[in-house]
Amino acid sequence: MASCIDYRIAPLKYTGQCRIFDEVAFTSMRKVCRLVACSLDELAEIVKPGVTTNEIDRFIFAFGADHGALPADLNYRGYMHACCTSINHVVCHGIPDDKPLRNGDIVNVDVTYILDGWHGDSSRMYPIGKIKRAAERLIDVAHESLMRGISVVKPGVRTGAIGAAIQNYAEEERCSVVRDFCGHGIGQIFHDAPNILHYGEPCDGIELHKGMIFTIEPMINLGKPSVKILKDGWTAVTRDRSLSAQYEHTIRVTETGYEIFTLSPKGIFFYRT
């Protein structure tokens, strides 16, 4: 069972304790998370057929630099890019390259910036041109799964309730939830406690407390939930080659519910074809 600690006295390293943040921290998190959301908004006009994921990566780096932020992914455990770009059957951690996006693809872009020592993390799906109905439905389910997970967040609820809300909905829609990756605490540390599983039972996990900050980022597959990691050591793909989709928000626990830090300033977090 994880314990909680005031972030102001906690060491700046992973300890397994859940940090409790205050209004000073929330102000910093709103600032960096808005920057992440703005970068993803701008990509709506950039991510088109013929664009390469390296071009997306260069935009994310430049956008952050223009606003005094660094991409947290760059040089993280040897990763050499500013963001992750996961196409079609890639579940997460897709590496940008020079291959052009094609009409009918779907791509997730996952961005984390560091601004004044604080991390903001979010990802969105982008349809490339006209996509198939199955891909559109998967994107719908992935987005709704995230929002259903967020909707149960409040003090006293256990993290398992988030996973249960996601799993129950996704499986009702004849999709599956990836078990190999989870949401995570975030703030002055990129990946911190608590882990947020996207499946489970309402009684599972730790109790949520006012002041916690974490991501919820379910990965939803059209086929089976199993994944494998490619030889590059990063790229996770579906074992059955089925399509995968993901959305992610950074949130905090309030007195009565939640605040989403990474909402789109333009209201375009979710795209329909």
Side-chain angles (χ1 to χ4, degrees):
M1 187 69 67
S3 61
C4 294
I5 187 171
D6 187 322
Y7 82 101
R8 293 169 295 183
I9 62 173
L12 284 178
K13 62 180 181 180
Y14 181 85
T15 65
Q17 295 173 295
C18 296
R19 295 165 203 267
I20 301 298
F21 296 93
D22 62 10
E23 289 297 330
V24 173
F26 301 150
T27 297
S28 295
M29 287 297 291
R30 290 184 190 106
K31 187 176 180 181
V32 65
C33 286
R34 182 181 175 84
L35 184 63
V36 172
C38 286
S39 75
L40 294 172
D41 279 357
E42 294 299 314
L43 281 181
E45 298 302 319
I46 296 171
V47 183
K48 307 288 184 183
V51 171
T52 70
T53 48
N54 264 338
E55 290 177 274
I56 294 170
D57 190 66
R58 287 192 290 270
F59 169 80
I60 293 300
F61 181 86
F63 187 90
D66 287 345
H67 294 84
L70 291 173
D73 287 354
L74 187 61
N75 297 319
Y76 179 77
R77 297 183 178 178
Y79 189 78
M80 298 304 295
H81 294 271
C83 66
C84 295
T85 52
S86 302
I87 304 169
N88 296 333
H89 71 290
V90 178
V91 174
C92 61
H93 304 157
I95 300 175
D97 61 25
D98 287 322
K99 184 179 179 180
L101 294 168
R102 299 180 299 177
N103 187 64
D105 285 340
I106 59 172
V107 59
N108 175 273
V109 181
D110 191 340
V111 176
T112 306
Y113 282 134
I114 307 170
L115 183 65
D116 300 325
W118 294 87
H119 295 71
D121 192 1
S122 185
S123 80
R124 299 184 198 171
M125 296 300 298
Y126 297 83
I128 309 304
K130 181 64 176 178
I131 64 174
K132 292 181 179 179
R133 175 56 191 148
E136 185 176 10
R137 188 178 77 85
L138 175 64
I139 289 174
D140 285 352
V141 172
H143 182 263
E144 182 64 16
S145 294
L146 169 64
M147 300 313 293
R148 291 197 182 207
I150 292 173
S151 72
V152 304
V153 170
K154 63 180 180 180
V157 166
R158 291 189 173 271
T159 55
I162 299 170
I166 292 167
Q167 182 182 7
N168 290 342
Y169 173 72
E171 292 181 354
E172 285 172 1
E173 294 296 320
R174 304 182 305 283
C175 295
S176 64
V177 180
V178 172
R179 266 70 163 171
D180 301 67
F181 304 97
C182 61
H184 53 88
I186 193 169
Q188 292 165 302
I189 297 175
F190 190 176
H191 294 104
D192 203 5
N195 288 338
I196 306 296
L197 303 184
H198 304 121
Y199 62 94
E201 298 294 335
C203 59
D204 293 343
I206 66 165
E207 184 177 328
L208 298 181
H209 296 275
K210 175 188 172 184
M212 285 181 173
I213 300 175
F214 49 82
T215 71
I216 303 177
E217 47 187 293
M219 287 147 262
I220 307 299
N221 296 347
L222 269 183
K224 295 180 179 180
S226 298
V227 307
K228 65 178 180 180
I229 308 298
L230 300 186
K231 291 181 180 179
D232 59 34
W234 287 101
T235 308
V237 300
T238 55
R239 284 190 176 273
D240 60 7
R241 303 282 296 185
S242 63
L243 291 177
S244 186
Q246 179 191 23
Y247 281 91
E248 176 184 12
H249 268 315
T250 296
I251 71 168
R252 75 168 174 112
V253 183
T254 67
E255 288 186 357
T256 58
Y258 58 85
E259 176 184 358
I260 302 175
F261 286 137
T262 43
L263 284 174
S264 162
K266 293 184 178 180
I268 55 172
F269 182 78
F270 180 51
Y271 302 95
R272 286 189 181 276
T273 56

